[in-house]
Amino acid sequence: MSSSSRGPGAGARRRRTRCRRCRACVRTECGDCHFCRDMKKFGGPGRMKQSCLLRQCTAPVLPHTAVCLLCGEAGKEDTVEGEEEKFGLSLMECTICNEIVHPGCLKMGKAEGVINAEIPNCWECPRCTQEGRTSKVKGGRERHLKKKPKPTLASAEGPAVPSPSPQREKLERFKRMCQLLERVPDTSSSSSDSDSDSDSSGTSLSEDEAPGEARNGRRPARGSSGEKENRGGRRAVRPGSGGPLLSWPLGPAPPPRPPQLERHVVRPPPRSPEPDTLPLAAGSDHPLPRAAWLRVFQHLGPRELCICMRVCRTWSRWCYDKRLWPRMDLSRRKSLTPPMLSGVVRRQPRALDLSWTGVSKKQLMWLLNRLQGLQELVLSGCSWLSVSALGSAPLPALRLLDLRWIEDVKDSQLRELLLPPPDTKPGQTESRGRLQGVAELRLAGLELTDASLRLLLRHAPQLSALDLSHCAHVGDPSVHLLTAPTSPLRETLVHLNLAGCHRLTDHCLPLFRRCPRLRRLDLRSCRQLSPEACARLAAAGPPGPFRCPEEKLLLKDS
């Protein structure tokens, strides 16, 4: 049965990843090989996209997305303890047909595979072994791998020398070729020293000499007996040396690093001043100056301004004036593209509405760091993962913050938002919170507790409008905290919205008389509040009586 009929993915070789444990993976770049010199971090153009020669993994593993071709599951060797059971549940890639399967999923009877001990999770599957297939090398030549008997438990623990895989031999040949290309012949040594070294027998090659090179820097003939390359990936040794195999990495000592190129910061040119007049096609200027055109543009909406920007380049520059864009509404958009964000920053609005959008934390942080004059920010309906960007963005001019109906907001998240930033300067005695200058705060639908209200009173003392509607945990104790003698909101609160707070009772209504500046009190949809008690509060009121246009809605004319 051919490999093309075994299912999707048969015959497609998976690219392996680093093991991150071998000696090559844990070391740093050398900075001297031609791959390092190509990297941008070393001053190169960054076109080759290759790792350092000394950091090429010697035991690459299968990617974490690899699954069995037969059962469609990943490796499960961690779920068992026995060696045979672990081998049956681990993923193995065939070097011939490139299929990735569990050995336990193959039911080939007594047919056995040949395991490659050099590369993890690599073997010749029993199907290819039974059919007598061999791996093919690039160029049409075939290389036959030695067939091994089934490795028993005893022999697997012994010192067995496995046969190399084509991928391993190709990697070794590539490393040797790069070493030969980069080797700089040592011209400082005299000819007498090289002759004495070449005449001496019984000594192995030096660690500073690459395989296949003589002491004088010349390569010996291909058929010479002084160089023998082992197919198992071993280095060539001088005859009669009897020494151990040479250890990786081979090659000369790294030469001194070349001087780094000077790096200069390239800044964009300054923007040219906007023209004061509108040039006409005849060569003259329009009689109306720029200030008059801006007064005309102020009567246009966003759609009309965008149409005017397409008339000419001068109008396009004039229409970016921030006085024409006091408020920008991007609400209910599923995604925000980079051109949209750049357009917002270029217009510098005072009010920005991002409610019920899919803005990310990175996008919001990028926006807030570039909108220092932002006064109103609406983020209702967004996720807390995005809103958490407020904890690291400075907003000195913010006056209105809308955080209604944000999901999964607890006391810990609000504490992170209200507390001062932790990176205050040393010796700073007074730490200001992030919401010190906010005058209107909307927190409808959040799971606020009395602990969050205490933080709010401490770090947002200038609030004049507070929206706590539909907060399930707000009750009579919360009203007592807001109107207590030590509360700063007692003298500043003008608008208070407590609609939908079902824990409020008639006992909390007299507490609102402590707020002399209160002009609007919304108690609609509060189940435990009686209309009679609200009418009595409206008749008595703080310094003056309230009027009730609707039931449980108290208003006072200023």
Side-chain angles (χ1 to χ4, degrees):
M1 183 159 120
S2 63
S3 62
S4 61
S5 62
R6 295 175 190 172
R13 181 175 175 270
R14 299 298 299 271
R15 182 175 180 178
R16 290 178 171 253
T17 59
R18 289 182 176 272
C19 66
R20 304 183 185 276
R21 292 189 299 269
C22 65
R23 181 181 176 184
C25 287
V26 299
R27 66 162 297 160
T28 58
E29 289 90 354
C30 65
D32 299 323
C33 64
H34 57 284
F35 287 159
C36 287
R37 292 173 184 173
D38 177 73
M39 298 179 185
K40 290 186 177 181
K41 64 194 297 185
F42 294 112
R47 299 172 183 171
M48 305 179 72
K49 310 295 183 182
Q50 298 292 330
S51 62
C52 176
L53 284 175
L54 302 184
R55 293 196 72 245
Q56 294 184 358
C57 182
T58 58
V61 298
L62 291 173
H64 67 280
T65 57
V67 294
C68 178
L69 183 64
L70 301 179
C71 64
E73 297 183 0
K76 299 179 292 185
E77 62 271 13
D78 297 336
T79 59
V80 294
E81 297 182 357
E83 295 293 335
E84 296 183 359
E85 295 178 355
K86 285 187 176 182
F87 175 73
L89 295 178
S90 61
L91 291 176
M92 301 294 291
E93 180 185 21
C94 180
T95 58
I96 301 175
C97 63
N98 297 325
E99 289 185 353
I100 301 176
V101 295
H102 292 131
C105 296
L106 291 176
K107 300 180 181 179
M108 298 294 297
K110 296 183 179 180
E112 300 165 355
V114 180
I115 302 177
N116 189 345
E118 292 186 356
I119 302 179
N121 303 91
C122 187
W123 70 340
E124 295 180 11
C125 65
R127 185 177 298 165
C128 296
T129 305
Q130 187 179 17
E131 294 176 0
R133 302 174 60 193
T134 56
S135 61
K136 295 182 179 181
V137 189
K138 187 176 182 181
R141 298 177 298 175
E142 295 186 357
R143 184 183 302 275
H144 295 274
L145 299 178
K146 296 182 180 181
K147 298 182 180 180
K148 300 181 182 179
K150 180 180 179 181
T152 59
L153 192 59
S155 63
E157 298 176 356
V161 181
S163 62
S165 63
Q167 296 90 341
R168 180 67 175 227
E169 290 187 356
K170 184 177 179 181
L171 179 62
E172 295 292 338
R173 289 197 301 271
F174 178 71
K175 291 179 179 179
R176 291 197 296 272
M177 180 186 68
C178 294
Q179 288 180 4
L180 293 177
L181 291 176
E182 293 184 354
R183 177 171 173 79
V184 179
D186 189 6
T187 58
S188 62
S189 61
S190 61
S191 60
S192 59
D193 295 338
S194 62
D195 294 339
S196 61
D197 292 341
S198 61
D199 293 337
S200 61
S201 60
T203 59
S204 60
L205 288 177
S206 172
E207 292 184 358
D208 294 338
E209 182 178 357
E213 286 188 4
R215 287 287 181 175
N216 54 8
R218 300 178 181 176
R219 295 189 62 182
R222 184 178 294 274
S224 62
S225 60
E227 176 187 1
K228 292 184 181 180
E229 183 180 357
N230 192 346
R231 292 299 181 184
R234 298 181 179 179
R235 306 293 181 182
V237 296
R238 194 181 298 274
S241 61
L245 298 179
L246 298 181
S247 59
W248 173 260
L250 295 177
R257 299 182 61 175
Q260 297 290 337
L261 299 178
E262 295 184 3
R263 299 181 181 181
H264 304 279
V265 178
V266 180
R267 301 187 183 278
R271 296 182 60 184
S272 59
E274 297 182 357
D276 292 332
T277 58
L278 177 63
L280 301 178
S284 60
D285 294 337
H286 196 277
L288 286 180
R290 174 175 175 268
W293 281 112
L294 290 181
R295 290 184 181 180
V296 175
F297 291 153
Q298 286 179 356
H299 297 278
L300 303 180
R303 186 180 300 274
E304 291 80 8
L305 285 175
C306 293
I307 296 176
C308 293
M309 293 174 66
R310 288 187 256 176
V311 173
C312 62
R313 184 175 299 177
T314 304
W315 275 23
S316 178
R317 297 184 64 179
W318 287 353
C319 289
Y320 274 113
D321 194 288
K322 62 181 181 180
R323 289 174 290 182
L324 304 177
W325 304 91
R327 179 180 179 85
M328 295 192 65
D329 188 0
L330 300 178
S331 60
R332 300 192 179 276
R333 295 182 180 269
K334 294 183 179 179
S335 61
L336 299 180
T337 60
M340 295 168 62
L341 301 179
S342 301
V344 171
V345 172
R346 190 170 181 182
R347 289 166 174 84
Q348 291 291 314
R350 294 192 301 269
L352 180 60
D353 188 356
L354 297 175
S355 59
W356 306 97
T357 58
V359 61
S360 64
K361 179 180 179 181
K362 185 176 181 180
Q363 290 176 333
L364 185 59
M365 189 179 300
W366 188 87
L367 275 176
L368 298 181
N369 288 329
R370 289 161 177 80
L371 298 176
Q372 295 299 316
L374 191 64
Q375 298 180 4
E376 299 181 8
L377 180 59
V378 181
L379 296 173
S380 59
C382 298
S383 63
W384 171 253
L385 184 61
S386 305
V387 178
S388 60
L390 295 172
S392 56
L395 296 171
L398 190 64
R399 295 296 176 265
L400 185 148
L401 181 60
D402 191 342
L403 302 178
R404 293 176 295 177
W405 305 106
I406 296 179
E407 298 180 357
D408 301 331
V409 177
K410 307 295 182 182
D411 288 342
S412 57
Q413 285 87 353
L414 290 174
R415 179 184 298 271
E416 178 184 353
L417 180 62
L418 294 172
L419 288 179
D423 53 348
T424 54
K425 296 181 180 179
Q428 185 175 2
T429 57
E430 181 181 358
S431 59
R432 291 176 56 86
R434 298 182 178 92
L435 304 181
Q436 286 283 340
V438 175
E440 183 174 355
L441 186 60
R442 302 172 185 174
L443 303 175
L446 304 186
E447 297 182 4
L448 292 177
T449 60
D450 293 344
S452 301
L453 286 178
R454 292 188 183 95
L455 286 176
L456 186 65
L457 297 177
R458 181 178 179 182
H459 298 287
Q462 299 182 10
L463 286 178
S464 61
L466 181 61
D467 185 1
L468 299 178
S469 59
H470 301 282
C471 292
H473 300 288
V474 173
D476 294 348
S478 305
V479 176
H480 180 72
L481 285 175
L482 293 175
T483 60
T486 57
S487 173
L489 303 186
R490 180 176 178 176
E491 302 294 334
T492 61
L493 205 58
V494 178
H495 300 281
L496 182 60
N497 189 354
L498 297 176
C501 298
H502 304 303
R503 293 191 177 185
L504 296 178
T505 63
D506 294 343
H507 300 286
C508 70
L509 295 180
L511 300 177
F512 293 112
R513 299 177 182 176
R514 301 176 180 177
C515 303
R517 300 183 60 187
L518 193 61
R519 293 293 181 267
R520 178 187 173 92
L521 179 61
D522 192 350
L523 300 174
R524 290 174 292 184
S525 302
C526 295
R527 300 173 183 174
Q528 301 187 31
L529 289 178
S530 62
E532 295 79 9
C534 294
R536 289 194 299 268
L537 176 63
F546 287 95
R547 59 184 180 88
C548 297
E550 297 182 22
E551 186 179 7
K552 300 181 183 179
L553 176 61
L554 285 70
L555 301 177
K556 179 185 294 186
D557 297 332
S558 57

